[in-house]
Amino acid sequence: MMESQPAIQIDDLTVAYNYKPVLWDIDVTVPEGVLMAIVGPNGAGKSTLIKAILGIIDPIAGSVRVFGKPYKEQRRLVGYVPQKGSVDWDFPTTALDVVMMGTYGQLGWIKRPGSKQKKSALEALEKVGMLPFKNRQISQLSGGQQQRVFLARALVQDATVYLMDEPFQGVDATTEIAIINILKELRKRGKTVVVVHHDLQTVPEYFDWVTFLNVKKIATGPVKDIFNDDNLTKTYGINYKVAINN
Amino acid sequence: MSLFDYFDQVFSDYTLRTITLGTAVLGAACGMLGSFAVLRKQSLLGDAISHAALPGIALAFLITGTKDTNLLLMGALISGLIGTFWIRGIIKKTHLKTDTALGLILSLFFGFGMLLLTFIQKQPNANQAGLDKYLFGQAATLVESDVTLMIFVTLMCALVLLLFWKEFKILLFDADFTKTLGFNTRFIDILITFFIVLAIVLGLQTVGVVLMSALLLAPAAAARQWTNRLSSMILLAALFGAFSGVFGTAISASQNNLSTGPVIVLVAAVFVLISFVFSPGRGLLFRELRFRQNRRDLQLKKTLQLMHSIAKTHDDISHPHAIRILNNFQGFTKRSLQKMEEKQWITLQQHHWSLTEKGYFAAENMFNETTHDESTN
């Protein structure tokens, strides 16, 4: 990998659904190997930013480069964990089958997954502690278990950069710890992880990089430098007291 | 003709054989493709498309002046596709929700189609009669070439399904994720929709525009009840659809030529009803039975727990206690006492019960057992 290139480079990104812009002129650089939180109030455009990076939404203007090249050429390097609520969990399929879907991108059109793909799916299920549930119908999993299945699906993508939309939403403490440990392990292996996050209390503990977002980018940088009352107030519009334990 | 006569003649009688084969193949194709419509929550799309096909049939007749089935169905296909793309356009370009867009296009196209049909009927042309068969279908008019076309399209559809199985599955489950993997979701989407429209158009002659969507949805809805695997669901739906076609034709042929389309749809509805009630996993009957069984088990365990806590206060765990001290306890009934005696958890003498060693250990280990059950499930 080109050392000098940032994992993700977003320039002048602007997105609107109707008339009102959801994201306005966003410039964010995500250095390689960081664990970044995207924080901001509801409607700040956090999910939209992730979707625009992934090309799910067409931006009005701006560019997204992954390791120096346009995202479209670098798709294979980027893994995605969507919001849990974005799919129908009553779909007739099993946990293992969902995780296997993470391998479809490497397979390309028409080719079917084989034993190699199954093996890596089982490994990913093991890693998130869901191996005993591999043959469960996905509607019979708890919310936390469903989230872990989604994470496992992203792990089998074997990406270099991971984008995750609220992976901690609606999960219990055990699952939250399991997930953050996996994220930290990814960082240790040199991966870059960007997470839409809601719980401000845990930002300093979980992440080393943060982006404050509220339609515009308020600030982006290392947590220890910019995670302060000033930026929180600018982002949330109220004086947000957060205990920062350094 | 009785049902028995029908099955006796179905292989020898040319007309019966053609019609039966046609409705069976049509049912199978609709079951297969209907599964996609149901899983995409586009159940009403089928209804809108079939109604949207009507003006196409009428216009094709007005333009060509012939009643050649293939030409009319070509018209239906075109107007069905136009309707579909309008629906997608409305959803995409306006704030209207899917159901509104479907309703609008359905009634607009159907109204226009009816208008054209009445206009055609007023024409001084002996050739005009019979177009209204596309409203409710007329299986008796199926000829061999129609059935050949149905078989061809169904095989094509099955082939494409097998080829793009993985792509169809992932698009149905998570379209956004599919896009990030680099798949052209528009292409997959259009492929699925095209085949759904094709199946509907093929069914118009047999089942008609008004009832067509039922044949699309009913087998799929029934199949979903029996399985948690997509592949089995689609196979089952095809099977249910095919059987609906065969039984529907059989009943209609044996009962004084009742209109075939409605009978097929009713047979499919019977499949749905049976599946809703009797399927083992999701069926209402077994769910209720399981629910009651569960409740009784828990009540039993709760009573045992109470007995255990009482017996624990004595040095001798089998010391007899009066039954009436349980009287105010929820979940305690005469039957539950008998059940517990059957399980050898307690022994009963007159108005007294006493815990057995087995019952004592069952109560001690109850919590371990339930957690164990859950993790191995």
Side-chain angles (χ1 to χ4, degrees):
Chain A
M1 206 65 48
M2 287 155 283
E3 290 281 326
S4 54
Q5 299 282 6
I8 304 174
Q9 170 95 47
I10 303 166
D11 289 308
D12 308 325
L13 189 72
T14 299
V15 177
Y17 290 122
N18 297 310
Y19 305 106
K20 229 176 121 189
V22 182
L23 290 173
W24 184 255
D25 204 21
I26 305 288
D27 298 303
V28 171
T29 302
V30 185
E32 191 178 354
V34 301
L35 191 46
M36 176 191 272
I38 301 177
V39 298
N42 293 334
K46 302 184 294 292
S47 295
T48 306
L49 179 59
I50 297 250
K51 285 182 180 168
I53 295 172
L54 290 163
I56 297 170
I57 295 171
D58 272 336
I60 284 177
S63 72
V64 175
R65 299 175 85 76
V66 175
F67 292 109
K69 289 185 188 155
Y71 164 75
K72 278 199 173 125
E73 296 169 25
Q74 304 278 61
R75 252 188 237 279
R76 291 288 140 75
L77 300 179
V78 185
Y80 175 42
V81 178
Q83 272 188 32
K84 189 164 66 65
S86 64
V87 302
D88 171 18
W89 289 92
D90 196 36
F91 192 80
T93 190
T94 60
L96 176 62
D97 216 28
V98 171
V99 177
M100 294 269 269
M101 288 177 187
T103 67
Y104 286 9
Q106 299 140 27
L107 286 167
W109 287 93
I110 293 171
K111 225 176 129 196
R112 299 286 184 91
S115 55
K116 186 174 154 235
Q117 282 74 26
K118 190 171 175 187
K119 194 168 152 266
S120 61
L122 289 172
E123 279 167 13
L125 275 169
E126 166 116 67
K127 208 170 262 178
V128 300
M130 286 293 293
L131 198 54
F133 303 92
K134 63 178 166 101
N135 292 324
R136 274 263 177 110
Q137 209 275 318
I138 51 173
S139 67
Q140 285 157 18
L141 300 171
S142 71
Q145 290 171 333
Q146 291 171 346
Q147 193 66 66
R148 289 181 196 215
V149 167
F150 257 14
L151 186 62
R153 183 177 71 172
L155 292 180
V156 298
Q157 286 188 269
D158 197 24
T160 311
V161 180
Y162 284 96
L163 302 177
M164 307 189 181
D165 203 344
E166 302 202 30
F168 299 110
Q169 194 192 37
V171 305
D172 61 16
T174 328
T175 301
E176 177 154 339
I177 292 164
I179 293 175
I180 192 63
N181 283 338
I182 289 166
L183 300 195
K184 284 179 173 170
E185 195 211 310
L186 284 173
R187 179 179 53 187
K188 210 182 285 170
R189 282 165 45 204
K191 315 276 187 188
T192 309
V193 185
V194 178
V195 176
V196 172
H197 195 55
H198 257 302
D199 182 9
L200 294 171
Q201 312 280 347
T202 53
V203 168
E205 189 190 331
Y206 290 173
F207 301 95
D208 52 11
W209 217 266
V210 64
T211 294
F212 289 96
L213 192 71
N214 192 352
V215 183
K216 294 175 187 173
K217 179 199 75 184
I218 311 296
T220 180
V223 170
K224 60 176 169 25
D225 298 338
I226 67 160
F227 194 69
N228 51 38
D229 271 0
D230 185 33
N231 280 326
L232 284 166
T233 309
K234 275 188 202 154
T235 309
Y236 289 87
I238 49 167
N239 193 357
Y240 218 104
K241 294 282 180 210
V242 175
I244 304 169
N245 314 306
N246 287 324
Chain B
M1 184 165 68
S2 71
L3 261 183
F4 180 79
D5 291 336
Y6 167 82
F7 281 108
D8 196 38
Q9 289 172 24
V10 70
F11 293 106
S12 53
D13 185 289
Y14 171 81
T15 317
L16 271 188
R17 195 177 56 207
T18 308
I19 297 172
T20 307
L21 190 63
T23 52
V25 170
L26 176 71
C30 284
M32 238 169 10
L33 290 160
S35 303
F36 287 113
V38 167
L39 289 175
R40 305 190 76 190
K41 305 198 168 42
Q42 289 183 335
S43 301
L44 279 174
L45 183 67
D47 210 18
I49 294 171
S50 66
H51 282 79
L54 190 61
I57 292 170
L59 281 174
F61 173 76
L62 280 175
I63 293 167
T64 64
T66 66
K67 277 198 300 194
D68 175 61
T69 316
N70 290 337
L71 265 175
L72 295 187
L73 289 187
M74 188 54 92
L77 180 67
I78 292 169
S79 90
L81 284 173
I82 292 174
T84 313
F85 284 103
W86 279 14
I87 290 167
R88 293 161 63 102
I90 291 176
I91 296 167
K92 224 174 161 185
K93 297 268 153 57
T94 72
H95 285 282
L96 294 177
K97 297 282 176 282
T98 310
D99 55 343
T100 316
L102 289 173
L104 267 175
I105 294 298
L106 184 154
S107 12
L108 189 72
F109 274 63
F110 188 63
F112 184 51
M114 288 304 287
L115 188 90
L116 288 174
L117 277 193
T118 41
F119 172 73
I120 289 167
Q121 266 158 13
K122 296 252 162 68
Q123 295 250 307
N125 182 346
N127 196 18
Q128 26 92 339
L131 274 189
D132 51 353
K133 78 173 184 200
Y134 288 98
L135 278 178
F136 296 104
Q138 206 172 351
T141 59
L142 281 179
V143 293
E144 204 174 282
S145 64
D146 300 331
V147 177
T148 314
L149 182 68
M150 280 181 185
I151 293 175
F152 175 72
V153 171
T154 308
L155 286 180
M156 273 266 294
C157 163
L159 193 73
V160 170
L161 200 70
L162 279 175
L163 209 58
F164 294 103
W165 176 252
K166 158 174 130 268
E167 287 77 12
F168 283 164
K169 180 160 78 174
I170 191 171
L171 181 82
L172 287 178
F173 178 62
D174 192 344
D176 278 356
F177 185 70
T178 312
K179 207 170 174 186
T180 69
L181 292 181
F183 290 104
N184 185 341
T185 48
R186 245 182 92 80
F187 171 71
I188 310 172
D189 191 30
I190 288 174
L191 207 59
I192 294 178
T193 312
F194 177 73
F195 273 103
I196 291 178
V197 176
L198 211 56
I200 288 171
V201 167
L202 278 182
L204 292 181
Q205 194 186 352
T206 315
V207 181
V209 298
V210 178
L211 291 174
M212 193 49 218
S213 73
L215 191 57
L216 203 65
L217 305 179
R224 179 68 188 91
Q225 293 296 109
W226 297 92
T227 174
N228 278 325
R229 281 183 50 188
L230 182 62
S231 49
S232 339
M233 176 180 165
I234 289 175
L235 275 177
L236 263 182
L239 219 60
F240 286 164
F243 275 118
S244 304
V246 173
F247 287 139
T249 312
I251 293 170
S252 121
S254 54
Q255 305 299 320
N256 224 351
N257 280 327
L258 282 176
S259 188
T260 315
V263 179
I264 292 177
V265 168
L266 284 178
V267 173
V270 171
F271 274 109
V272 174
L273 200 69
I274 292 173
S275 304
F276 278 170
V277 178
F278 295 106
S279 71
R282 301 159 73 97
L284 295 173
L285 181 69
F286 288 95
R287 246 191 1 216
E288 182 65 26
L289 286 179
R290 261 201 312 274
F291 175 73
R292 291 200 181 168
Q293 178 65 39
N294 225 341
R295 247 184 110 84
R296 272 201 298 274
D297 276 1
L298 286 175
Q299 283 177 337
L300 218 59
K301 285 180 172 171
K302 198 80 186 59
T303 314
L304 182 67
Q305 279 288 339
L306 178 73
M307 291 172 159
H308 173 253
S309 65
I310 296 169
K312 242 186 1 194
T313 58
H314 282 266
D315 292 337
D316 175 16
I317 53 162
S318 296
H319 180 89
H321 299 274
I323 286 174
R324 71 184 146 72
I325 57 174
L326 302 172
N327 274 354
N328 287 330
F329 184 68
Q330 270 194 340
F332 156 76
T333 58
K334 279 238 166 65
R335 262 201 63 186
S336 62
L337 279 188
Q338 283 162 11
K339 251 278 147 70
M340 291 169 89
E341 198 176 24
E342 272 168 38
K343 285 179 181 258
Q344 296 178 339
W345 284 349
I346 56 167
T347 52
L348 291 173
Q349 300 110 14
Q350 294 259 2
H351 300 296
H352 290 83
W353 57 267
S354 48
L355 205 60
T356 63
E357 199 142 308
K358 196 176 167 196
Y360 186 81
F361 282 113
E364 289 266 286
N365 295 316
M366 190 179 292
F367 189 64
N368 301 340
E369 255 174 45
T370 35
T371 45
H372 180 71
D373 277 354
E374 248 169 39
S375 59
T376 53
N377 233 323

